[in-house]
């Protein structure tokens, strides 16, 4: 059952599991446990399920205002869709790929995102598509990496590691640009071992970032690095919630959780409209809200970092040439308000088919959500002009949607000393992105199912068939 308002009725003994948050992490846990026959209640403060996967409407077309694709380095999404029997079509983006816009002495240089890179670290710094971005002198500097000894002390920031070994051109134009775009933080505040443990292991084993990137890039599966869902990613949580509900999960939207309490023999979840008890509680909210609930604090003392994006419908014929392929990622040194642009109708066939002729849909993400820029047709026209090279006027912007996400940036690592029975799911526990969130949540559901089976007296073991 999916319903809005008032908390779900739970038996006097309480639910097996209460899930706080119906984003992808929470829904995956709820679905797998419901399918295993467990009593699951999901509560979400928002009126719609999906969390950071949300539908917006632009020029009459349904689009994504949150995640718009998933990494295909694992089959996490495909396996979930197949296992849960979701009526969704997985699709690949059109093949033209994305571009980079970098600051040069003469202004802006736009070039294709090099193919064989890992987190922007090139496998071959002298490949044409790399030289187009870092220049011949940047390539020569990076090629000499082997002369740089591997330091034995503590791991430096990703920026320092790359700048020291491959030079500042690679660090600034490729690695920092991608890090800010994909992980919403500068490379100077990230570590390779956290962002890409496999790449870090290869580096430690080989003593060379170039060789590590070559090894990883060679091992990567052929085809697009990301996939999507026909009609938009927002369909995934919607379909998953329906599948979970059809298997017995109770899903309540519009119910905010104030506190989670672990008493001597019960776990209590306090909501706006009453309290619930359960054997296990899974906190699957955004990272700042999860930290608040775990700390038992009344209100968040620190405002979480925000992500701001604007989606716009633009009527300009020159965009039909797809000047930056499926989109462009922007160097931090360029004086733009946007750090990335996705040309939605160039990237996804389903979006192009649904969009009126002559209209192009784009999505811009702001560098600094707090600055409050990127909200007007003037600002969108200016940014699109710089990033694509097509002179767009404010009058060409025929529709606009602004979306701000206030709890979307994963900062500190998840605590590993949670009270008994309380568990963390979603990006707060697994790291950003569906390729991390989904496998983590499925693993947690399997562990909870085993724990419940072990703790229940045999007379009360569930007998529901696993479908
Ligand atoms: C703009 C943007 C683009 C992205 N693009 C991609 C992409 O292309 N590919 C990709 O793989 N990932 C992408 N991501 C990341 C991805 O969306 C997230 O990592 C993932 O969706 C997080 O899922 P989650 O379950 O952790 O939490 P969320 O989706 O954040 O869901 C948390 C839920 O908890 C609810 N909640 C919060 N507090 C409470 C409370 N107190 N009581 C009850 N409910 C509460 C919220 O309403 C929300 O529904 C993107 C993220 C953003 C913001």
């Amino acid at each position: 059952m999916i319903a809005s308002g008032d908390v779900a009725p739970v038996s006097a003994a309480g639910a097996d599991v209460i899930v706080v948050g119906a984003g992808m992490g929470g829904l995956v846990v709820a679905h797998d446990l419901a399918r295993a026959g467990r009593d699951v209640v999901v509560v979400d403060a928002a009126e719609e399920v999906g969390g950071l996967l949300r539908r917006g409407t632009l020029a009459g077309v349904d689009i994504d205002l949150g995640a718009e694709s998933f990494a295909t380095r694992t089959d996490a999404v495909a396996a979930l869709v197949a296992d849960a029997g979701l009526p969704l079509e997985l699709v690949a983006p059109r093949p033209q790929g994305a571009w980079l816009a970098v600051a040069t002495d003469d202004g802006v240089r736009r070039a294709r995102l090099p193919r064989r890179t890992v987190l922007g670290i090139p496998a071959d710094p002298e490949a044409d598509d790399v030289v187009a971005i870092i220049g011949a002198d940047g390539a020569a500097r990076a090629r000499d990496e082997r002369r740089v000894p591997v330091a034995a002390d503590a791991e430096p920031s990703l920026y320092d590691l790359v700048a020291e070994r491959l030079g500042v051109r690679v660090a600034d134009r490729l690695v920092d640009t991608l890090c800010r775009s994909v992980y919403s933080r500068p490379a100077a505040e990230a570590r390779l071992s956290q962002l890409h443990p496999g790449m870090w292991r290869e580096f430690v084993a080989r003593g060379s970032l170039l060789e590590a990137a070559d090894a990883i890039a060679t091992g990567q599966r052929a085809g697009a690095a990301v996939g999507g869902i026909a009609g938009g990613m927002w369909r995934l949580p919607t379909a998953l919630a329906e599948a979970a509900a059809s298997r017995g999960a109770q899903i309540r939207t519009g119910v905010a959780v104030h506190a989670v309490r672990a008493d001597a023999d019960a776990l209590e979840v306090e909501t706006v409209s009453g309290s619930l008890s359960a054997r296990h509680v899974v906190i699957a909210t955004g990272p700042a809200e999860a930290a608040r609930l775990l700390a038992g604090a009344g209100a968040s003392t620190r405002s979480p970092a925000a992500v701001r994006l604007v989606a716009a419908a633009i009527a300009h014929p020159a965009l039909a040439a797809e000047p930056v392929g499926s989109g462009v990622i922007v160097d931090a040194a360029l004086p733009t308000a946007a750090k990335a642009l996705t040309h939605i109708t160039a990237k996804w066939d389903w979006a192009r088919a649904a969009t009126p002729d002559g209209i192009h849909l784009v999505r811009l993400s702001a560098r600094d959500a707090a600055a409050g820029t990127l909200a007007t047709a003037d600002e969108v026209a200016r940014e699109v002009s710089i990033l694509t090279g097509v002179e767009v006027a404010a009058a060409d912007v025929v529709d606009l949607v602004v979306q701000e996400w206030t709890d979307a940036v994963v900062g500190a690592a998840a605590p590993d000393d949670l009270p008994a029975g309380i568990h963390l799911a979603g990006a707060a526990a697994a790291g950003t992105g569906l390729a991390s969130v989904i496998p983590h949540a499925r693993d947690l559901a399997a562990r909870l199912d085993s724990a419940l089976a072990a703790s229940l007296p045999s007379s009360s073991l569930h007998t529901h068939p696993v479908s």
Side-chain angles (χ1 to χ4, degrees):
M1 178 183 64
I2 308 178
S4 174
D6 293 345
V7 288
V10 179
S11 69
D16 287 334
V17 180
I18 293 174
V19 179
V20 184
M24 280 306 295
L27 287 173
V28 167
V29 172
H31 172 270
D32 282 8
L33 283 169
R35 190 171 69 161
R38 303 297 172 194
D39 294 329
V40 187
V41 177
V42 186
V43 286
D44 196 296
E47 287 300 333
E48 305 279 337
V49 299
L52 301 180
L53 276 64
R54 182 182 296 175
R55 167 173 42 175
T57 307
L58 194 59
V61 183
D62 285 337
I63 55 150
D64 285 306
L65 292 179
E68 53 94 52
S69 61
F70 54 87
T72 50
R73 63 174 185 272
T74 72
D75 67 351
V77 173
L80 176 69
V81 167
D83 291 353
L86 306 182
L88 300 171
E89 183 193 352
L90 300 187
V91 292
R94 295 181 57 243
Q96 75 283 58
W99 288 49
L100 275 179
V102 294
T104 63
D105 295 342
D106 327 325
V108 187
R109 180 182 302 162
R110 296 179 206 88
R112 285 179 193 283
L113 190 63
R115 273 159 309 175
R116 297 189 75 242
T117 57
V118 179
L119 256 177
I121 298 168
D124 174 6
E126 293 181 301
D128 289 348
D129 53 5
V130 178
V131 175
I133 291 166
I134 62 172
D137 42 350
R141 164 68 181 83
R143 189 191 52 208
D144 284 344
E145 186 202 5
R146 272 295 186 193
R147 295 197 196 144
V148 183
V150 177
D153 41 358
E155 181 186 355
S157 73
L158 174 62
Y159 184 91
D160 287 345
L161 178 71
V162 174
E164 173 161 343
R165 302 197 64 78
L166 303 177
V168 291
R169 281 281 175 80
V170 176
D172 286 332
R173 293 187 179 176
L174 284 164
V175 175
D176 188 49
T177 307
L178 277 147
C179 191
R180 287 172 190 265
S181 164
V182 178
Y183 297 97
S184 296
R185 60 181 138 141
E189 292 172 17
R191 300 210 188 280
L192 181 58
S193 60
Q194 284 170 349
L195 297 190
H196 200 317
M199 176 75 178
W200 174 250
R201 278 194 299 274
E202 290 287 352
F203 168 63
V204 171
R206 295 165 189 270
S208 157
L209 287 171
L210 298 177
E211 287 181 23
D214 186 49
I216 300 264
T218 304
Q220 272 164 357
R221 299 194 299 183
V226 297
I229 286 175
M233 287 299 294
W234 60 269
R235 293 175 188 268
L236 178 59
T238 306
L240 185 60
E242 279 167 14
S246 75
R247 292 178 162 127
Q250 299 178 51
I251 301 176
R252 293 290 172 146
T253 56
V255 178
V257 169
H258 292 319
V260 176
R261 300 195 194 294
D263 295 334
D265 46 16
L267 294 171
E268 294 285 330
V269 173
E270 289 180 14
T271 79
V272 275
S273 45
S275 92
L276 300 168
S277 67
R279 290 177 193 82
H280 294 269
V281 174
V282 174
I283 297 177
T285 63
E289 183 65 359
R292 183 188 75 77
L293 289 171
L294 287 171
S300 192
T301 48
R302 196 171 49 93
S303 15
V307 174
R308 181 189 185 85
L309 58 87
V310 53
I314 300 176
H316 195 302
L319 290 175
E322 300 174 5
V324 286
S326 61
V328 58
I329 299 171
V330 192
D331 178 356
L334 268 181
T336 56
K339 63 178 182 179
L341 173 151
T342 303
H343 189 163
I344 302 169
T345 37
K347 184 169 183 179
W348 303 109
D349 279 328
W350 60 263
R352 177 186 293 214
T355 304
D357 282 350
I359 304 284
H360 297 272
L361 307 184
V362 302
R363 202 172 103 148
L364 292 156
S365 18
R367 278 190 198 290
D368 178 3
T373 51
L374 268 185
T376 65
D378 273 331
E379 285 166 344
V380 167
R382 171 184 179 272
E383 295 290 313
V384 173
S385 302
I386 299 172
L387 299 188
T388 64
V390 171
E391 281 304 320
V392 171
D396 300 326
V397 179
V398 295
D399 197 7
L400 198 71
V401 181
V402 177
Q403 173 71 44
E404 191 156 305
W405 296 108
T406 52
D407 191 8
V409 180
V410 180
D416 47 14
D417 55 347
L418 301 180
I422 298 184
H423 315 270
L424 204 53
T432 300
L434 302 179
S436 304
V437 166
I438 293 173
H440 176 275
R442 300 200 80 175
D443 184 53
L444 175 60
R447 282 188 282 119
L448 286 178
D449 185 39
S450 303
L452 285 161
S455 67
L456 287 175
S458 56
S459 58
S460 63
L461 278 177
H462 292 267
T463 54
H464 304 251
V466 174
S467 54

